[in-house]
Amino acid sequence: MTSIFKTFMLATTVAAAPLMVATTASAEGEKYILVSHAPDSDSWWNTIKNGIALAGEQMNVEVEYRNPPTGDLADMARIIEQAAASGPNGIITTLSDYEVLSGPIRAAVDSGVDVIIMNSGTPDQAREVGALMYVGQPEYDAGHAAGMRAKADGVGSFLCVNHYISSPSSTERCQGFADGLGVELGDQMIDSGQDPAEIKNRVLAYLNTNPETDAILTLGPTSADPTMLALDENGMAGDIYFGTFDLGEEIVKGLKSGVINWGIDQQPFLQAYLPVVVLTNYHRYGVLPGNNINSGPGFVTKDGLEKVEQFAGEYR
Amino acid sequence: MSDAQTQFADDERIKNRSKFREAMIRPELGGIIGTIAVFAMFLIFAGDSGMFNSQGVMNWSQISAQFMIIAVGACLLMIAGEFDLSVGSMIGFAGMLIAIFSVTLGWPVWLAILVTFAIATAIGALNGFIVVRTGLPSFIVTLAFLFILRGFAIYLPQTIERKTIIGGVADAAEGDWLASLFGGKILTGLFQWFGDNGWIAVFERGTRKGQPVVDGLPMLIVWAILLVIVGHVILTKTRFGNWIFAAGGDAEAARNSGVPVNRVKILMFMFTAFCATVFATCQVMEFGGAGSDRGLLKEFEAIIAVVIGGALLTGGYGSVVGAALGALIFGVVQQGLFFAGVESSLFRVFLGLILLFAVILNTYIRRVITGER
């Protein structure tokens, strides 16, 4: 039996080692926690992590990033409750489903934590839960603007590759695009899943059965990168009208080579960076911008790609 | 029973074991040691981080209760010698059914819940029926249902409502007698009294100023405790409990001595589905809606809780109390690491270490019991 106890003590010590390191490394000063709805597999959020890390460093505050590993929004609600219980100065969170998340967020606000809504949700919803402000890109409006632009370029039908179908804001982008074009969304949106090979082959299959499709809309690097491979494979690269949300290394290459017509940059860096700066200044000097901050949409095209290219996937 | 035991105490067929040895081979042992160790550790490393204030305690209690609800089902099924990998998908599927019935079709919420329970347990029975009839490993059969149910959980709302999250259940459930059994809170007066006396935190501002931040005991936790008690009593105090052990220990021997092994296994699959649906209903009522991706990977979390709690993967051995402690450890570790300020990705490393340790301890216990070396 003693050997079992020895093993256990050893396991405890090994497991506890990171705890001790982490607690001694924490800085003095304000503490802010950013909670997102993104599953671990979504690489787009890397820019968010870089954004809060840089802001934390520059403002000399403690920052932390938290997300539900599988993207389960009920888990995310618990994370918000947990973040509030740990008594930070502020919480920065997405509001990707009002019904699930508004309760925990409002409870956090009422218990004395300042909250800023970023990325998902609407300015109205942010006000309703008692948040200080909303920093992000109104998704439906961004999709709508993109649809209007595509319509002006002569597009009449499209394929929306939705890799995150369980998030309402993803569907809003596709819906906004359809409304901007003035067509029914109907079956033009496909649930592609998150696996690159599956996405690629579903796009191939769709274009095979619907060869008259004018345009493709992808919702981020997760779906854009495999879609580009699909277009390479069936020879439609550069031929079909291709717009995407968000930027990434491959998307920038696609823009450069003319495969992608435009990318809608919602500037995730600013969505993560600005709330930390705003909160810190609010807590230190009591100053607060009087309005919400729209970080996007900004259309990125082939012109003026240099800075974008340099920082794609890192700060852009 | 106790009279009978003393009467047979000198029976030469019963092997004498010391009290110490009896205690050592209890399946809960690992869980008890683990619980003490985990709490001691977090009291040291995260004692002043908010983990043990009222909000913090409620937070990890709710997470642990979630694990407990599905772990009770998984535990009894595992003792009966089978697995269910469709638990996570069942959570998403059952939640979606409730939302579709009550919001899209406009049924009263109590009816939506009852029909969902009927469908879910029927699917559990189908799982079990296929397993006992074909003799295929339950691993494979329930893996198939993992995909089937997840597929329906995405397909149904997509087809009916063109979205994968259906909200509005909270409004529909307003004043519903059955819904309040899953989504409500009890002992609210007691918590208000705690708050008034300053023992737990109260809201500092907003419309709920003066009310306690934790304003009651959620039904989720009540269900967890209830299921643990019921599961424990069935397993240890009834003839049916013995049948469960027998079915998982040696099915052939059990059959020969008249245990209805197939019926026991099918019932356990139904019970697992029932537990998953309890989880789903509580979640839908609390968050007011159902999402297609609810419950991802929960089947493994249930199995992990059961294994930490000392049940053997091969069946025939384990305890509901152990599984409940396993769920408690799991919940406390998952939430506690955050309070201690550990990078959240390290949670998995830690969990892996606990699991590994639990399995090593289990193996040791099995050797003690069987005498193998």
Side-chain angles (χ1 to χ4, degrees):
Chain A
M1 208 51 217
T2 47
S3 69
I4 292 296
F5 276 107
K6 267 186 198 158
T7 317
F8 181 73
M9 291 314 288
L10 190 66
T12 316
T13 319
V14 171
L19 288 177
M20 291 184 263
V21 174
T23 37
T24 49
S26 61
E28 287 297 313
E30 295 88 349
K31 184 182 173 193
Y32 301 114
I33 300 169
L34 190 151
V35 186
S36 91
H37 58 264
D40 286 347
S41 52
D42 196 335
S43 62
W44 184 86
W45 290 81
N46 200 28
T47 311
I48 296 280
K49 289 181 202 163
N50 289 337
I52 56 162
L54 186 65
E57 210 174 287
Q58 288 181 353
M59 305 306 289
N60 193 24
V61 295
E62 199 183 323
V63 290
E64 196 164 334
Y65 174 86
R66 295 268 294 152
N67 66 311
T70 58
D72 187 324
L73 292 180
D75 285 350
M76 181 185 172
R78 294 265 181 262
I79 292 175
I80 292 174
E81 288 173 353
Q82 181 187 41
S86 73
N89 299 77
I91 293 176
I92 304 155
T93 179
T94 66
L95 186 44
S96 53
D97 184 342
Y98 186 79
E99 195 156 9
V100 173
L101 302 174
S102 60
I105 294 175
R106 202 175 290 123
V109 171
D110 288 346
S111 65
V113 180
D114 289 315
V115 172
I116 288 184
I117 304 294
M118 53 90 72
N119 181 265
S120 312
T122 65
D124 285 343
Q125 290 174 344
R127 201 173 49 244
E128 274 165 42
V129 296
L132 291 178
M133 61 161 59
Y134 168 78
V135 180
Q137 165 179 275
E139 298 297 349
Y140 178 85
D141 295 351
H144 196 263
M148 304 267 276
R149 189 185 176 109
K151 191 182 186 183
D153 292 341
V155 168
S157 64
F158 71 105
L159 161 66
C160 182
V161 188
N162 192 340
H163 67 269
Y164 190 25
I165 196 125
S166 53
S167 160
S169 58
S170 301
T171 313
E172 268 175 35
R173 290 174 168 184
C174 301
Q175 187 66 53
F177 192 79
D179 292 351
L181 277 181
V183 300
E184 278 281 307
L185 180 56
D187 292 331
Q188 294 183 103
M189 179 175 77
I190 57 167
D191 170 12
S192 68
Q194 305 240 349
D195 180 82
E198 285 173 23
I199 295 171
K200 181 181 142 198
N201 288 297
R202 270 175 220 176
V203 169
L204 281 175
Y206 183 92
L207 292 177
N208 212 8
T209 44
N210 302 279
E212 75 292 348
T213 305
D214 287 338
I216 292 185
L217 179 70
T218 55
L219 303 186
T222 308
S223 48
D225 299 0
T227 301
M228 276 190 275
L229 289 178
L231 296 180
D232 263 344
E233 202 165 305
N234 71 2
M236 289 169 96
D239 194 32
I240 195 166
Y241 191 89
F242 187 170
T244 183
F245 279 84
D246 306 339
L247 297 175
E249 243 173 87
E250 293 301 314
I251 291 177
V252 170
K253 277 186 205 156
L255 283 164
K256 217 175 171 187
S257 65
V259 174
I260 300 178
N261 296 59
W262 41 255
I264 298 172
D265 191 9
Q266 60 166 306
Q267 309 195 82
F269 173 77
L270 289 180
Q271 292 178 4
Y273 178 86
L274 286 178
V276 175
V277 173
V278 166
L279 282 170
T280 311
N281 283 305
Y282 180 57
H283 290 142
R284 285 184 189 165
Y285 313 116
V287 292
L288 188 69
N291 229 324
N292 296 313
I293 301 173
N294 275 3
S295 66
F299 286 92
V300 176
T301 58
K302 207 171 179 177
D303 313 321
L305 262 179
E306 200 183 321
K307 261 267 158 55
V308 177
E309 197 176 2
Q310 191 184 344
F311 294 119
E314 198 176 342
Y315 296 113
R316 294 273 332 218
Chain B
M1 273 307 276
S2 58
D3 283 350
Q5 266 166 2
T6 37
Q7 195 184 327
F8 290 119
D10 295 316
D11 192 326
E12 75 278 358
R13 289 170 299 181
I14 295 174
K15 191 177 165 191
N16 275 317
R17 279 194 301 225
S18 72
K19 279 264 189 298
F20 178 73
R21 202 165 175 80
E22 285 270 297
M24 285 296 102
I25 63 165
R26 289 188 69 81
E28 299 93 76
L29 182 71
I32 292 168
I33 297 174
T35 306
I36 295 169
V38 159
F39 272 96
M41 201 171 66
F42 283 111
L43 275 168
I44 294 167
F45 291 116
D48 55 353
S49 65
M51 183 175 171
F52 294 101
N53 66 23
S54 59
Q55 284 162 280
V57 171
M58 186 53 69
N59 190 265
W60 53 253
S61 301
Q62 274 178 290
I63 297 285
S64 301
Q66 285 190 350
F67 290 140
M68 262 179 222
I69 287 174
I70 44 175
V72 172
C75 172
L76 291 183
L77 183 64
M78 202 184 282
I79 294 172
E82 306 289 343
F83 284 113
D84 190 347
L85 294 183
S86 67
V87 169
S89 298
M90 179 62 88
I91 291 168
F93 176 74
M96 196 48 83
L97 284 188
I98 292 173
I100 288 174
F101 289 150
S102 61
V103 176
T104 311
L105 302 182
W107 295 4
V109 174
W110 61 267
L111 184 65
I113 294 174
L114 290 181
V115 172
T116 301
F117 268 100
I119 294 175
T121 43
I123 292 171
L126 180 63
N127 256 330
F129 183 75
I130 296 174
V131 168
V132 297
R133 263 307 158 89
T134 60
L136 287 169
S138 51
F139 188 89
I140 300 299
V141 174
T142 57
L143 188 62
F145 274 88
L146 181 153
F147 288 106
I148 293 169
L149 294 177
R150 181 66 65 196
F152 276 124
I154 298 171
Y155 172 80
L156 292 176
Q158 260 293 302
T159 316
I160 298 169
E161 297 239 5
R162 294 217 66 80
K163 54 187 181 188
T164 53
I165 293 184
I166 296 184
V169 182
D171 296 333
E174 199 76 51
D176 190 275
W177 62 273
L178 190 56
S180 59
L181 279 188
F182 291 93
K185 284 178 180 171
I186 58 169
L187 303 178
T188 47
L190 184 69
F191 279 83
Q192 181 67 52
W193 185 63
F194 284 164
D196 292 342
N197 283 308
W199 294 335
I200 57 175
V202 294
F203 283 120
E204 291 168 12
R205 61 188 185 191
T207 51
R208 290 193 282 168
K209 188 170 188 293
Q211 289 178 20
V213 176
V214 176
D215 59 355
L217 191 66
M219 287 307 291
L220 179 77
I221 294 179
V222 178
W223 271 101
I225 294 168
L226 201 74
L227 282 171
V228 169
I229 293 171
V230 170
H232 179 72
V233 169
I234 288 179
L235 190 64
T236 56
K237 309 281 183 223
T238 68
R239 190 173 62 161
F240 190 77
N242 284 335
W243 287 357
I244 296 175
F245 279 116
D250 187 338
E252 223 26 71
R255 269 193 199 97
N256 292 339
S257 52
V259 175
V261 171
N262 288 356
R263 204 173 86 205
V264 169
K265 289 194 173 182
I266 290 173
L267 275 170
M268 286 305 101
F269 272 107
M270 290 170 73
F271 184 63
T272 311
F274 174 86
C275 291
T277 312
V278 170
F279 184 116
T281 313
C282 288
Q283 196 174 56
V284 167
M285 292 309 148
E286 181 178 357
F287 295 113
S292 293
D293 56 0
R294 296 283 154 75
L296 274 177
L297 297 184
K298 287 283 185 284
E299 57 280 337
F300 289 109
E301 293 174 351
I303 292 174
I304 290 170
V306 174
V307 170
I308 293 176
L312 287 184
L313 287 162
T314 43
Y317 182 78
S319 92
V320 173
V321 174
L325 289 174
L328 184 64
I329 294 172
F330 197 171
V332 169
V333 169
Q334 175 168 334
Q335 302 303 94
L337 288 186
F338 164 77
F339 284 106
V342 179
E343 177 69 34
S344 58
S345 37
L346 280 179
F347 159 63
R348 297 185 180 82
V349 176
F350 192 83
L351 192 65
L353 287 173
I354 289 189
L355 186 61
L356 199 58
F357 171 70
V359 175
I360 291 170
L361 187 67
N362 282 352
T363 312
Y364 172 78
I365 290 172
R366 194 184 63 224
R367 281 182 186 157
V368 169
I369 297 167
T370 59
E372 74 184 71
R373 272 289 143 201

